[in-house]
Amino acid sequence: MTARKIIIDTDPGQDDAFAILLALASPELTVLGICAVAGNVPLPLTEKNTRIICELAGKPQTRVFSGCDRPLKRPLVTAEHVHGKTGLDGPALPEPTMPLESQHAVDFIIDTLRREPAHSVTLCPLGPLTNIAAAFLKAPDVVGRVQQIVLMGGAYFEVGNITPAAEFNIYVDPDAADVVFKSGVNLVVMPLDVTHKVLTTRKRVEAFRAMGTEVGRMAAEWADFFERFDMEKYGSEGAPLHDPTVIAYLLKPELFKGRHINVEIETTSELTMGMTVADWWGVTGRPANALFVGSVDADGFFALLTERLARL
Ligand code: RIB
Ligand code: CA
């Protein structure tokens, strides 16, 4: 079976690191490129972190691109309070040695979608949607060539994590999210409703450490750092591993359950800016534009993640 071609768009972020490692460890996927975007931390750090993660995975030949350093319209909001100053706080990190591509990430996305056969490339955004929206706005012809977008972002029953109404990725660039959610592209959304069900419990973190590999050690130490914010805020028994749910969906969609519904983005009211208005009960009559995922087999997710990370 030919491997599925994907482009990852990311703002590492410890949970982004898990997603990138999972993708690079999985032969079912061909990672055409990884695009860094400003989000959890500023762009110079997200692109540097992306290269660190690729080298940790033993894949220094991965093509890494730097993208947009701020949202389409709004000022950048970052999340050092969650991810630390480097964005990958926890373990000591080596300086990356692999090169950064010279092409802008937005142009890489456009050129790749124009070059590859139509409907053969899946976009996997793990951060604010700025790069994706910028590509769609600059080259509308590529929108219809996208196979699928599987993204981490949004919230409905779980409500917001950066404001009472909004999840971070959507909140940082609601205008970009509006472009993507209105694009008509086949869309799968991994909101907090599902990512808050995949928590790094002690047993799961010790399974990372028990690998006895550098990847396992880094994964455990990232989880140890990353969980303190959610444990204090929610009293949960670990941190939600948001972003690897996107890659796990590509590998084992049967782990997840959701509903095809209409989802629109708040882009005007400051009170609810970036809210994903998910019509879960079908009361608006607006056409469905997304598979909004609400539940997951968490043990199955961690079994997949742990088995794959152990391959690196
Ligand atoms: O709200 C969680 C999302 O915001 C995750 O993608 C995390 O990495 C941050 O980007
Ligand atoms: Ca992210």
Side-chain angles (χ1 to χ4, degrees):
M1 186 188 74
T2 50
R4 182 170 182 171
K5 290 181 278 188
I6 69 171
I7 293 173
I8 295 174
D9 196 78
T10 182
D11 64 335
Q14 291 87 349
D15 61 314
D16 301 68
F18 281 90
I20 294 167
L21 291 169
L22 177 57
L24 294 176
S26 299
E28 302 92 324
L29 305 174
T30 296
V31 180
L32 298 176
I34 305 181
C35 299
V37 68
N40 284 320
V41 286
L43 182 65
L45 283 172
T46 59
E47 68 85 356
K48 175 182 171 187
N49 291 344
T50 301
R51 291 186 287 142
I52 289 171
I53 297 158
C54 290
E55 290 187 317
L56 172 64
K59 310 275 185 180
Q61 73 286 2
T62 307
R63 300 185 72 198
V64 175
F65 300 81
S66 185
C68 297
D69 66 357
R70 74 201 64 188
L72 294 183
K73 293 181 187 165
R74 295 173 66 86
L76 178 62
V77 171
T78 53
E80 287 86 351
H81 62 293
V82 178
H83 300 276
K85 201 154 172 36
T86 70
L88 287 180
D89 279 24
L93 297 170
E95 284 299 306
T97 57
M98 65 179 282
L100 176 71
E101 298 282 332
S102 56
Q103 186 179 32
H104 191 284
V106 170
D107 294 323
F108 166 72
I109 293 168
I110 293 169
D111 290 353
T112 304
L113 289 170
R114 283 178 174 158
R115 182 189 67 245
E116 296 294 332
H119 309 123
S120 69
V121 177
T122 293
L123 304 180
C124 303
L126 311 176
L129 291 162
T130 316
N131 286 342
I132 310 300
F136 286 4
L137 292 170
K138 184 174 182 180
D141 62 288
V142 306
V143 177
R145 301 181 62 83
V146 179
Q147 178 180 36
Q148 187 173 52
I149 294 176
V150 185
L151 68 85
M152 190 279 141
Y156 183 59
F157 294 104
E158 197 66 15
V159 296
N161 61 357
I162 185 80
T163 74
E167 176 278 327
F168 180 80
N169 288 340
I170 309 299
Y171 176 74
V172 169
D173 199 340
D175 303 292
D178 194 41
V179 168
V180 171
F181 278 70
K182 285 180 178 161
S183 69
V185 173
N186 179 320
L187 186 57
V188 178
V189 178
M190 293 287 163
L192 299 179
D193 303 57
V194 67
T195 67
H196 278 192
K197 294 170 182 165
V198 285
L199 299 177
T200 58
T201 61
R202 278 298 94 204
K203 185 164 164 272
R204 290 163 175 169
V205 175
E206 289 321 310
F208 297 147
R209 217 181 301 276
M211 288 177 195
T213 62
E214 184 64 354
V215 167
R217 179 181 72 80
M218 297 284 264
E221 292 183 20
W222 276 328
D224 287 343
F225 179 88
F226 181 57
E227 71 181 16
R228 84 214 182 290
F229 172 79
D230 287 83
M231 289 173 84
E232 271 163 38
K233 177 174 176 182
Y234 297 104
S236 52
E237 52 164 324
L241 274 189
H242 307 285
D243 292 338
T245 61
V246 167
I247 306 302
Y249 178 83
L250 298 178
L251 298 171
K252 280 195 162 185
E254 65 275 16
L255 291 174
F256 301 89
K257 282 196 179 62
R259 198 179 276 190
H260 277 98
I261 60 171
N262 177 270
V263 182
E264 303 212 355
I265 310 297
E266 175 64 79
T267 57
T268 49
S269 157
E270 283 302 333
L271 181 64
T272 53
M273 183 60 68
M275 179 176 182
T276 43
V277 182
D279 187 5
W280 186 262
W281 304 111
V283 298
T284 66
R286 291 194 291 256
N289 60 336
L291 173 66
F292 200 79
V293 178
S295 58
V296 58
D297 166 1
D299 287 334
F301 167 80
F302 275 97
L304 171 68
L305 179 63
T306 307
E307 185 272 322
R308 292 296 164 98
L309 294 194
R311 297 185 184 190
L312 295 174

